Amino acid sequence: MKSTGIVRRIDELGRIVIPMEYRKMHKINIGDPMEILASDKGEITLRKIGLESEYIHNASVVIESMVGGLTILACDGLRWRVGRGPHKEKYLDNVIDQKAATCCATNKAILDTNELGQNVYLCPVVGLDSYGALLVISDKPITDVEINTVNMLASITTKLTERV
């Protein structure tokens, strides 16, 4: 670690303000979980806890609970990380497409078709942070029940991730 010359005083409740420049630089937002580490040498370190791996684990658990012939996958905003169903191999570990990126960026669901003419539903997974999206792929039209189920799965994934 290098010294930046910024000094903050502890207030009467033991709090220190993290400078805005650092919060912006490291994408630290109100409500983000922070871990406090202390060394034997008297150094205290704050570290933002990344919930990405927790989100992917929870998405995997939730996706595995799905039944039926649907393909359902979860992305972290960059790649398709976990999934199940007959079409999953085409997507897993691949970079997300523009529709998925738009869903993640705008936090708005998208019901459309893909380049193969299959029906797709993209549902953002959003809580205190934007985690990614769930994707459903079906050769048949996607029903309102399936849309509601995926929305519920996204909500459950968020709740599981944010209880950390």
Side-chain angles (χ1 to χ4, degrees), residues 29-70:
N29 299 306
I30 295 170
D32 282 352
M34 302 291 291
E35 183 176 22
I36 303 169
L37 306 166
S39 75
D40 293 339
K41 298 175 185 174
E43 296 172 332
I44 297 174
T45 305
L46 284 178
R47 183 171 69 187
K48 180 179 176 183
I49 297 174
L51 295 178
E52 294 82 12
S53 61
E54 184 73 17
Y55 154 67
I56 292 300
H57 168 75
N58 292 331
S60 177
V61 169
V62 167
I63 286 170
E64 285 302 317
S65 71
M66 286 288 293
V67 293
L70 289 177

Side-chain angles (χ1 to χ4, degrees), residues 64-131:
E64 285 302 317
S65 71
M66 286 288 293
V67 293
L70 289 177
T71 298
I72 184 165
L73 299 114
C75 77
D76 60 5
L78 300 173
R79 293 184 173 277
W80 297 106
R81 300 294 184 187
V82 294
R84 67 174 289 181
H87 305 294
K88 78 174 183 181
E89 297 307 323
K90 179 184 181 310
Y91 290 87
L92 281 183
D93 294 323
N94 289 332
V95 175
I96 63 174
D97 64 7
Q98 186 58 46
K99 285 179 193 172
T102 299
C103 176
C104 292
T106 63
N107 295 328
K108 293 190 169 137
I110 298 172
L111 179 61
D112 204 351
T113 56
N114 64 12
E115 67 280 356
L116 300 175
Q118 297 163 317
N119 297 295
V120 296
Y121 178 66
L122 285 152
C123 177
V125 180
V126 183
L128 296 173
D129 221 345
S130 178
Y131 297 114

